[in-house]
Amino acid sequence: MATPNVPLWEVFIRSRNGLAHKHVGSLHATDTTLALQAARDIYTRRGEGLSIWVVPSNAITASDPAEKGMMFEPAESKIYRHPTFYDVPDEVGHM
Amino acid sequence: MYTQALNNADTDDRNIEDAERSAQFQARIDVDDRIEPNDWMPAAYRKTLTRQISQHAHSEIVGMLPEGNWITRAPSLRRKAALLAKVQDECGHGLYLYAAAETLGTSREELVDMMLAGKSRYSSIFNYPTLTWADIGAVGWLVDGAAIMNQIPLCRCSYGPYARAMIRVCKEESFHQRQGFEIMMTLARGSEDQKAMAQGALDRWWWPVLMMFGPPDKASQHSDTSTKWKIKRFSNDELRQKFVDATVPQAQFLGLTIPDPGMKQNADGNWEYSAIDWDEFNQVLAGNGPCNRERLAARRKAHDDGAWVREAASAYAEKRRQRSALQAAE
């Protein structure tokens, strides 16, 4: 008999250094309690984090890779959004 | 995000070969772009990676068996704690790899069922027994050493999820090799009996470990396309040579003798090894190694014995779901 499928979760961990939660991988679990415990066992065996989020994979809405050109084009052409676009004379020092 | 739900969107065209898209795909590979789960990819690329990553995952899981064999008989609490942690790591590595394989569209359950049915392979090395405590040292030093040699180039593999899983695995794997070497060193510096035990383990594991890198380049059936797709960055023989060159000085340091009297260092500094017995390798792959049947039987028993746990967890989740649906309706 084929083994029945168990729901998939995405795991996010916040490390010690105060950075935001970061995606670290996926796992299978039947409910939130087991998902958190499995995330602890699979992704934090060496003190990788101080906080875990588990999110059902099918609850995530993602951008379509086929449309990434259109999606991100507006940011490509706006170099004036970057500090290096502006000329500041060297004598002014660090700004 | 690697959801199966997202992957379903393009199931209609994912198996259609398309010359124009294939050319675009190859162009991305050629500029070292990473391929991600929902990107278009040739069906053969998907199939090759599903096979390779799932076999890699099965190897991590089956690899827990020869080492688990010694957890209760480790010679000290320190050794026992380290071995237990190592076996737990192997389980974790198997799970990272199943998660990476699943992003290609085959569920973990299907992949595991294929292994249990004997339709999907795992590394031939785990069909050899761990007869003495020294074998645990040799497995860590040599088998994990060879695995690291194989896995480091995979950290730059063209498929994003596989490369990311490998980075994690490689970070954890280096403790495995060091703990194995330390076991060998302790035995090699011990009594005559202990030194003989270490030598015996090296004698038994050396040739099977060289076989781990796969058939010689002239006979390997998967290498060409895997190289073109940047799944494979070095050939089997190149990796094998790197491993031998790294390991010979370590064996010399231990005062142990590599069981290859014909081995010699050439003018380039590479150690030339004698002919490998590929008949033995093919026999093990065909299911006739020392432990093939035992390993598969142990995995099937563990899977069957765990069925009630999976059923109970699903039943509990379903009960909770129904209860909260009822409360919401009130």
Side-chain angles (χ1 to χ4, degrees):
Chain A
M1 193 188 75
T3 310
N5 285 10
V6 174
L8 189 67
W9 303 71
E10 300 301 323
V11 182
F12 300 80
I13 290 175
R14 177 156 54 73
S15 58
R16 292 170 187 280
N17 52 20
L19 298 176
H21 283 78
K22 190 175 170 228
H23 182 245
V24 293
S26 322
L27 56 80
H28 289 266
T30 50
D31 61 29
T32 50
T33 311
L34 289 177
L36 270 178
Q37 279 186 7
R40 195 267 318 263
D41 292 345
I42 300 171
Y43 292 106
T44 65
R45 287 193 304 283
R46 289 176 174 78
E48 286 89 338
L50 297 174
S51 166
I52 301 174
W53 290 347
V54 287
V55 181
S57 298
N58 59 15
I60 291 172
T61 307
S63 61
D64 181 350
E67 290 178 3
K68 66 176 174 238
M70 198 168 70
M71 184 83 166
F72 299 109
E73 188 282 328
E76 297 282 315
S77 57
K78 295 175 179 58
I79 52 170
Y80 48 85
R81 285 181 173 169
H82 296 277
T84 47
F85 180 75
Y86 302 93
D87 287 327
V88 175
D90 285 348
E91 359 0 337
V92 178
H94 178 73
M95 184 181 283
Chain B
M1 300 314 120
Y2 315 135
T3 70
Q4 288 151 339
L6 286 169
N7 280 329
N8 289 340
D10 60 347
T11 42
D12 293 341
D13 68 348
R14 70 158 46 149
N15 289 319
I16 297 172
E17 289 303 2
D18 173 328
E20 192 187 336
R21 284 171 133 183
S22 291
Q24 284 169 357
F25 174 83
Q26 189 60 46
R28 289 188 60 194
I29 301 259
D30 292 343
V31 296
D32 280 330
D33 237 9
R34 286 285 157 83
I35 306 303
E36 294 297 336
N38 295 328
D39 294 347
W40 187 88
M41 61 185 86
Y45 179 83
R46 187 184 299 278
K47 193 176 157 200
T48 298
L49 274 172
T50 304
R51 178 184 56 78
Q52 181 172 337
I53 305 173
S54 64
Q55 289 186 3
H56 198 160
H58 303 330
S59 302
E60 300 283 353
I61 300 298
V62 176
M64 296 163 75
L65 297 171
E67 296 187 285
N69 180 36
W70 279 91
I71 291 174
T72 55
R73 292 174 288 158
S76 69
L77 187 57
R78 180 179 185 272
R79 296 287 186 214
K80 184 173 181 168
L83 184 58
L84 194 56
K86 179 177 189 301
V87 174
Q88 282 179 322
D89 274 356
E90 307 298 2
C91 179
H93 297 174
L95 295 176
Y96 309 153
L97 284 160
Y98 281 126
E102 280 191 311
T103 64
L104 293 158
T106 311
S107 73
R108 184 179 80 187
E109 290 81 357
E110 285 173 80
L111 297 171
V112 170
D113 285 348
M114 270 164 64
M115 188 257 282
L116 296 176
K119 290 179 193 159
S120 180
R121 282 176 177 161
Y122 52 87
S123 174
S124 61
I125 195 76
F126 300 117
N127 290 314
Y128 289 86
T130 42
L131 301 177
T132 72
W133 171 251
D135 289 51
I136 297 303
V139 166
W141 172 38
L142 301 173
V143 176
D144 288 289
I148 292 170
M149 220 39 112
N150 253 324
Q151 287 167 350
I152 284 177
L154 286 172
C155 295
R156 294 187 294 129
C157 150
S158 61
Y159 190 56
Y162 193 25
R164 290 190 284 272
M166 278 300 103
I167 290 170
R168 237 191 130 77
V169 167
C170 284
K171 272 187 195 162
E172 299 182 353
E173 202 86 55
S174 87
F175 126 65
H176 298 180
Q177 192 186 13
R178 290 170 66 109
Q179 71 92 36
F181 189 78
E182 196 194 74
I183 290 171
M184 293 302 271
M185 198 166 61
T186 307
L187 291 171
R189 290 175 178 175
S191 66
E192 280 308 306
D193 282 352
Q194 286 172 324
K195 191 172 176 183
M197 198 196 266
Q199 181 63 53
L202 174 57
D203 292 347
R204 279 195 300 282
W205 288 92
W206 177 253
W207 292 106
V209 164
L210 291 196
M211 294 174 201
M212 273 177 76
F213 294 94
D217 293 348
K218 54 185 189 304
S220 177
Q221 52 176 327
H222 301 298
S223 281
D224 286 351
T225 42
S226 289
T227 305
K228 186 183 85 179
W229 285 330
K230 295 192 182 169
I231 295 170
K232 210 175 166 65
R233 301 259 178 179
F234 296 98
S235 75
N236 294 351
D237 286 336
E238 283 169 342
L239 289 170
R240 190 166 14 242
Q241 188 62 52
K242 271 182 150 181
F243 172 79
V244 170
D245 290 341
T247 308
V248 169
Q250 293 166 0
Q252 288 170 339
F253 180 87
L254 292 172
L256 299 177
T257 309
I258 288 179
D260 180 359
M263 184 177 254
K264 59 179 189 299
Q265 198 168 20
N266 66 22
D268 301 328
N270 300 124
W271 287 91
E272 289 176 7
Y273 46 90
S274 306
I276 294 173
D277 178 5
W278 292 110
D279 283 344
E280 176 180 328
F281 180 70
N282 291 327
Q283 281 298 317
V284 177
L285 280 191
N288 302 321
C291 301
N292 293 58
R293 276 174 286 274
E294 186 185 328
R295 299 293 184 235
L296 214 45
R299 284 312 312 151
R300 284 179 184 145
K301 182 175 187 303
H303 189 75
D304 292 346
D305 289 352
W308 73 269
V309 179
R310 293 189 294 275
E311 283 162 22
S314 295
Y316 180 71
E318 179 59 18
K319 190 176 86 177
R320 293 275 299 248
R321 196 190 60 76
Q322 285 182 359
R323 190 176 295 165
S324 63
L326 268 177
Q327 280 170 351
E330 276 170 12

